[in-house]
Amino acid sequence: MTNNNFINVSAAVPNLALADIKKNIEIHKELISKAAERGNNILVFPELSLTGTSVGDLFLQGSFLDSAYSGLIELAKFTSNYSDLFVVVGLPLQVSGRTYNVAATLLNGEILGFTPKYKLNDYDTYQESRYFASLNLESEEIFTNDGHLFSYSPYTLCDKKSSKYVNISIVVGSDIDSPEVLSKLEQSKSDIIINPNVEAELLFSENTRREKITEKSADTKTAIISAYAGSGESSSHYIYQGAGIISELGENLVELKETFNNDDSLLAETLISLSPIRLSQRKTKAKLSSNYPTYSELNFTDPKFSRLETKRYPFVRTDDIRKFDKNNVDITNLYGRCINLQAAGLARRIKHIHAKTMVIGVSGGLDSTVALLVCDRAREILGLGKDSIMAVTMPGFGSSKGSKSNAEILAEALDIDLKEISIVPATTQHLEDIEHDINTHDLTYENAQARERTQILMDLSNKHNGLVVGTGDLSEMALGWCTYNGDQMSMYAVNSSLPKTTMRYLLNIAYYEYKDSNPQLAQVLNDIVTAPVSPELLPPDADGNITQKTEEQIGSYTLHDFFLYHYCYRGNSIADTFALAKANFARESSADKKEQSSYATPKGETFTESEIKTTFKTFIRKLYTQQFKRKASPDAIKVTELGLSASGDFQIPSDLNISIFMDEIDNL
């Protein structure tokens, strides 16, 4: 299988010998060999890596500059040993009698070109304009004396054996902070920005540096590979700590820093996914650059998925939704922030339509629990009493003892009155009216219950000047796992941008949030999270336990949400999404499967390749065949990156021919 949208990249943190070009060349060779042997296609060295940045007036000596260029030629020839590695190194370069701070690009024994630094820094003891010239951004492409391209033009690397390609722009040093440079980059539509850099180590600069690169990757809708010069630099005025930072679309993929007592050179490595970058860029309209890229060919190596941090729950950036750092403020605040956002949307709608009551069906399951917590928060925002929430539990043929009990305890813990209306008499009469055998437990039997519940909520809403609050989540929306004009319908949906696994994670946080202040609430939240997901439309067993378990029918929500993130949100292809799923979850056989919880994937849980493929096929089929339900869905508040609203987020026809997608999965 060919994975067309990944590329293995690296950033070097060499322990340089200041001004010792000969020794630095050997250090570069060692890192080039290491990067190539480890399957990288791109290797980035820091700014002025052949000489060091803090050599002062040596930059004014012609012999020193000539030595740097001779070293570059030697290094370029060395790259012929590794024909599939695109290398970027820094050096001072003389062009037409002026000296520039440049990044040189090397591939397969050749110098491809040079990119000069535009924004020169003059501050304190660091006076770049004393040594270097700046080239106008709008300058036409020019060539050095020996015919190498000298400009701000981008590069395109093409795979010799496929249609795969990657567009690259090079930004030297602090040019990454220049609005003029970034504006020009936007026109080039690069996938990757290469940033050879150097920055003195000051208090708090470590976090600032990482945050800057991560933020720039989000702003430019690219991946950024940044290599910072390190402790081999002079300590006459500053201390330098080398680092390799690689970010993609606002997410820090890897950060490798040298320690001050370590003399070894380092290599930061990761795997960049190109599809999400291109999806983000397709959503923007930018002018095309007037500079044509330099095209080069090489063999792209197979993706090293092991370099990616395992995140089986990508929506919440974690590998285990049952565990988290309780001292991490960002995590502990996640529950409150999410509930507040949902509640703010609901409160605004209640106020706008002058409703007096929030009407909500409470089953004792995951979705209705989150929605009820949202209603309680919206009530506080609006300054309303507890009677503004009409919580209704509607037991039916499949209601289990546990769910009914959880619904009652939840309402009691929140001090909300719970109204019970059994749907059994009305549904029994309805099935009799349409001449359906009540012992035939088919789709008609199940959907009749869901629609009866919706009818009750809608009529109560009319009676009490209320608004029916929808409880369905994003995972169900993606799969169409709801009854058309049943639980699919409400007047305002609050969970529609939250995947099932994210809601489990939120309630795990909420458990610790309420553990001391409201232990009754905390305990019932824990019971709800650990219960299997079920619509409870089929009769329970003799002991009143759930027999209908959703994940036994359609596959694990852990997998479905993984597909939802990587295929729908990140824009990865079917083949690439499948490859990522295998890298995160695959095991050899079903015999290797461990005992595991039915509610959440423990760290290390795996699936066979066949199980992953079967679940992925279910996901794709339902994603594209259930659009008619999404087109008839009510307004919904969006609080995460992804939504599937047919009016804005996911616009496809309801009668799309899906054979091309299913054939692609069959051929994986």
Side-chain angles (χ1 to χ4, degrees), residues 174-214:
S174 56
D175 282 357
I176 196 73
D177 300 317
S178 168
E180 300 97 324
V181 173
L182 294 182
S183 176
K184 190 172 183 68
L185 284 180
E186 186 180 2
Q187 298 175 26
S188 68
K189 286 291 184 183
S190 295
D191 302 308
I192 296 174
I193 294 174
I194 287 174
N195 178 227
N197 213 326
V198 62
E199 187 175 286
E201 189 73 11
L202 302 171
L203 286 177
F204 312 117
S205 62
E206 175 186 341
N207 291 337
T208 302
R209 186 166 53 188
R210 178 179 61 252
E211 291 168 359
K212 176 178 68 177
I213 296 302
T214 303

Side-chain angles (χ1 to χ4, degrees), residues 345-590:
L346 177 58
R348 176 72 180 86
R349 181 55 57 94
I350 291 290
K351 186 175 181 180
H352 178 70
I353 65 173
H354 304 291
K356 302 297 183 185
T357 312
M358 289 169 273
V359 180
I360 179 172
V362 181
S363 65
L366 189 69
D367 295 353
S368 65
T369 297
V370 173
L372 184 60
L373 291 167
V374 171
C375 288
D376 194 43
R377 180 71 186 105
R379 173 195 65 74
E380 293 176 349
I381 292 173
L382 293 168
L384 300 175
K386 294 284 187 178
D387 58 353
S388 63
I389 299 175
M390 178 169 285
V392 187
T393 183
M394 295 166 281
F397 302 126
S399 297
S400 66
K401 293 179 180 178
S403 293
K404 181 181 178 183
S405 174
N406 285 341
E408 293 169 347
I409 297 170
L410 178 66
E412 182 181 336
L414 291 172
D415 194 23
I416 294 172
D417 289 337
L418 183 67
K419 188 179 187 68
E420 180 175 327
I421 301 176
S422 172
I423 65 167
V424 172
T427 309
T428 301
Q429 180 62 53
H430 175 66
L431 293 175
E432 183 180 327
D433 290 343
I434 64 172
E435 299 178 348
H436 185 83
D437 185 356
I438 198 169
N439 295 310
T440 302
H441 299 161
D442 58 4
L443 198 60
T444 302
Y445 176 86
E446 293 185 35
N447 287 349
Q449 297 174 69
R451 293 191 178 106
E452 177 58 30
R453 288 186 172 116
T454 298
Q455 175 176 276
I456 290 171
L457 295 175
M458 290 290 181
D459 290 345
L460 284 172
S461 172
N462 290 154
K463 181 178 180 180
H464 297 279
N465 188 15
L467 176 140
V468 177
V469 178
T471 63
D473 62 55
L474 181 62
S475 306
E476 295 175 342
M477 197 173 188
L479 298 169
W481 197 250
C482 55
T483 298
Y484 190 76
N485 208 32
D487 53 321
Q488 168 259 349
M489 183 49 62
S490 67
M491 295 178 181
Y492 192 77
V494 295
N495 291 334
S496 292
S497 68
L498 291 174
K500 188 78 72 178
T501 51
T502 298
M503 297 214 292
R504 287 168 170 160
Y505 188 65
L506 290 173
L507 289 190
N508 277 325
I509 298 173
Y511 167 78
Y512 289 100
E513 181 90 1
Y514 295 112
K515 191 175 181 180
D516 295 327
S517 61
N518 191 337
Q520 183 186 28
L521 176 58
Q523 184 57 54
V524 74
L525 292 179
N526 184 66
D527 293 342
I528 289 167
V529 168
T530 54
V533 177
S534 173
E536 299 195 20
L537 297 172
L538 297 180
D541 63 20
D543 296 323
N545 299 315
I546 294 171
T547 59
Q548 183 184 22
K549 298 178 181 179
T550 299
E551 290 175 289
E552 291 179 357
Q553 295 178 262
I554 62 173
S556 168
Y557 272 119
T558 297
L559 284 176
H560 283 299
D561 287 357
F562 188 88
F563 301 143
L564 185 60
Y565 180 85
H566 286 285
Y567 183 71
C568 294
Y569 173 58
R570 296 273 287 173
N572 285 304
S573 67
I574 284 177
D576 292 342
T577 301
F578 183 62
L580 285 166
K582 287 199 301 177
N584 278 273
F585 297 108
R587 59 180 153 79
E588 294 300 319
S589 69
S590 58

Side-chain angles (χ1 to χ4, degrees), residues 167-400:
N167 295 321
I168 297 170
S169 287
I170 298 177
V171 178
V172 180
S174 56
D175 282 357
I176 196 73
D177 300 317
S178 168
E180 300 97 324
V181 173
L182 294 182
S183 176
K184 190 172 183 68
L185 284 180
E186 186 180 2
Q187 298 175 26
S188 68
K189 286 291 184 183
S190 295
D191 302 308
I192 296 174
I193 294 174
I194 287 174
N195 178 227
N197 213 326
V198 62
E199 187 175 286
E201 189 73 11
L202 302 171
L203 286 177
F204 312 117
S205 62
E206 175 186 341
N207 291 337
T208 302
R209 186 166 53 188
R210 178 179 61 252
E211 291 168 359
K212 176 178 68 177
I213 296 302
T214 303
E215 181 181 320
K216 294 296 182 185
S217 72
D219 291 344
T220 58
K221 297 178 174 59
T222 62
I224 297 180
I225 307 171
S226 193
Y228 284 84
S231 57
E233 294 287 345
S234 171
S235 61
S236 295
H237 299 286
Y238 295 107
I239 295 296
Y240 296 87
Q241 183 180 25
I245 302 173
I246 305 175
S247 296
E248 177 189 304
L249 293 176
E251 180 178 358
N252 184 39
L253 298 181
V254 65
E255 179 183 16
L256 186 63
K257 298 174 293 184
E258 66 177 2
T259 58
F260 292 117
N261 62 348
N262 186 6
D263 293 332
D264 295 331
S265 297
L266 304 175
L267 198 64
E269 301 173 301
T270 192
L271 183 66
I272 288 175
S273 179
L274 301 174
S275 291
I277 294 169
R278 290 170 182 166
L279 176 64
S280 294
Q281 293 181 355
R282 282 195 293 270
K283 294 178 179 179
T284 64
K285 297 179 181 179
K287 297 178 181 178
L288 292 177
S289 172
S290 58
N291 289 337
Y292 293 100
T294 299
Y295 290 91
S296 302
E297 287 189 327
L298 70 165
N299 291 303
F300 279 68
T301 54
D302 291 334
K304 307 288 185 182
F305 291 109
S306 60
R307 293 180 176 179
L308 296 177
E309 183 182 355
T310 305
K311 292 178 181 175
R312 292 180 173 89
Y313 302 93
F315 280 103
V316 287
R317 316 289 196 270
T318 186
D319 196 34
D320 189 346
I321 57 173
R322 301 169 309 157
K323 298 177 182 178
F324 53 87
D325 181 1
K326 305 175 191 63
N327 297 316
N328 186 324
V329 176
D330 289 338
I331 291 177
T332 54
N333 286 345
L334 182 64
Y335 165 74
R337 176 161 172 74
C338 184
I339 295 293
N340 282 338
L341 287 172
Q342 293 170 276
L346 177 58
R348 176 72 180 86
R349 181 55 57 94
I350 291 290
K351 186 175 181 180
H352 178 70
I353 65 173
H354 304 291
K356 302 297 183 185
T357 312
M358 289 169 273
V359 180
I360 179 172
V362 181
S363 65
L366 189 69
D367 295 353
S368 65
T369 297
V370 173
L372 184 60
L373 291 167
V374 171
C375 288
D376 194 43
R377 180 71 186 105
R379 173 195 65 74
E380 293 176 349
I381 292 173
L382 293 168
L384 300 175
K386 294 284 187 178
D387 58 353
S388 63
I389 299 175
M390 178 169 285
V392 187
T393 183
M394 295 166 281
F397 302 126
S399 297
S400 66

